[in-house]
Amino acid sequence: MSIDDIKCKIGTLAGDLVQNGMTVGLGTGTTAFYFIKRLMERCQEGLEIQAVASSTASLKQAHDGGIPMIDIENVASIDLTVDSADEIDRQKQMIKGGGGALLREKIVATMSKEMIVIVDETKLSEKLGRSKLPVEIVPFAHHYTKSSLEKLGYSGEFRRTAQGLLFMTDNGNLILDLKLDPASTNPREDHVRIREIPGVVETGFFFDLAQRVIIGYKDGKVQIRD
Ligand code: 5RP
């Protein structure tokens, strides 16, 4: 099975778990795309839900596809959020933000009674740190913020668009992709140290947010970790 077929399979499966009356949080990325696609189909078949998006890209897909979207400012809590991850370990701790939406994704996940994470097997990790750690940083004095992080031993590059421009998040911030070394990465400590630097808005470490994990394997099998 191709990775894209796996993403379609687990996204569709997660879409089938949504129930009438729910307020649903929509993740961001190529896996969440299939979850949103399935919800679009189910809404056309009569499913009654309302949804909030974690990015303008997901908002556009869902809105264009006929999912009733509501302003997050009018939401007290979300019943279920479905999103993917760049890396997830056995304790369901994650690195997210490959799509640059980590801040809104974390807020939406935090507002949710349940978060289901859908990943293909390539995202599974024994120890977080294989992928780069996206960190959202305000544009003001971003070079200084970067050098402050370097002094603490965290180095990386600002994310750029295909045209070579600085990538800008939906919040008007930048993403610094930090290179980690799994051997020396201590996610909780690193998260706190990085967050202490003024100018850092949020890191892509997600702790204690994922409840259920749906894993899709290349041989077509699907595993659910509760
Ligand atoms: C976006 C994210 C995504 O969930 C993560 O990057 C995985 O993306 P994909 O489903 O495209 O592999 O955190 O900010």
Side-chain angles (χ1 to χ4, degrees):
M1 228 177 175
S2 74
I3 295 289
D4 204 51
D5 287 343
I6 301 174
K7 289 180 178 189
C8 178
K9 184 168 188 166
I10 55 182
T12 304
L13 202 154
D16 286 337
L17 298 175
V18 172
Q19 291 168 16
N20 259 330
M22 280 185 165
T23 299
V24 183
L26 308 178
T28 296
T30 54
T31 317
F33 171 89
Y34 288 108
F35 167 68
I36 298 169
K37 188 166 176 274
R38 179 66 187 135
L39 279 190
M40 284 156 40
E41 289 165 3
R42 289 195 62 205
C43 284
Q44 274 158 22
E45 289 160 14
L47 178 73
E48 289 185 10
I49 55 163
Q50 51 182 13
V52 290
S54 58
S55 64
T56 51
S58 294
L59 175 64
K60 185 175 184 329
Q61 183 195 355
H63 178 264
D64 291 355
I67 298 176
M69 301 302 293
I70 45 167
D71 189 332
I72 196 135
E73 304 308 336
N74 299 326
V75 173
S77 86
I78 296 164
D79 295 302
L80 172 66
T81 286
V82 176
D83 202 350
S84 187
D86 298 305
E87 215 176 312
I88 184 162
D89 70 13
R90 288 194 174 274
Q91 287 71 46
K92 302 175 189 165
Q93 317 295 24
M94 300 179 273
I95 289 180
K96 284 182 51 55
L102 66 100
L103 179 58
R104 293 193 185 190
E105 289 173 333
K106 196 176 277 190
I107 293 170
V108 167
T110 303
M111 290 174 71
S112 303
K113 292 179 196 147
E114 187 183 8
M115 181 190 198
I116 295 179
V117 175
I118 48 176
V119 284
D120 65 80
E121 63 173 310
T122 65
K123 310 286 186 62
L124 299 177
S125 174
E126 283 307 313
K127 192 164 189 313
L128 294 186
R130 191 181 63 218
S131 8
K132 291 191 176 149
L133 176 71
V135 177
E136 184 149 347
I137 283 176
V138 295
F140 186 80
H142 62 282
H143 292 301
Y144 184 78
T145 305
K146 182 173 185 272
S147 61
S148 302
L149 285 165
E150 280 164 0
K151 281 184 195 137
L152 291 179
Y154 302 105
S155 60
E157 295 300 330
F158 283 107
R159 192 176 298 181
R160 294 192 174 268
T161 64
Q163 293 73 36
L165 302 172
L166 282 172
F167 173 89
M168 200 153 272
T169 71
D170 287 341
N171 316 300
N173 294 318
L174 308 176
I175 296 284
L176 181 63
D177 288 307
L178 295 180
K179 201 170 176 315
L180 299 175
D181 173 6
S184 58
T185 297
N186 182 329
R188 285 184 192 266
E189 269 180 27
D190 292 330
H191 172 75
V192 172
R193 292 180 81 213
I194 294 167
R195 279 281 304 270
E196 271 174 359
I197 303 291
V200 170
V201 182
E202 192 50 87
T203 84
F205 283 126
F206 280 51
F207 304 123
D208 309 325
L209 286 167
Q211 272 121 342
R212 253 185 294 174
V213 185
I214 300 178
I215 306 159
Y217 292 87
K218 285 181 194 140
D219 63 7
K221 288 198 188 109
V222 171
Q223 183 195 11
I224 300 180
R225 287 190 191 157
D226 284 309

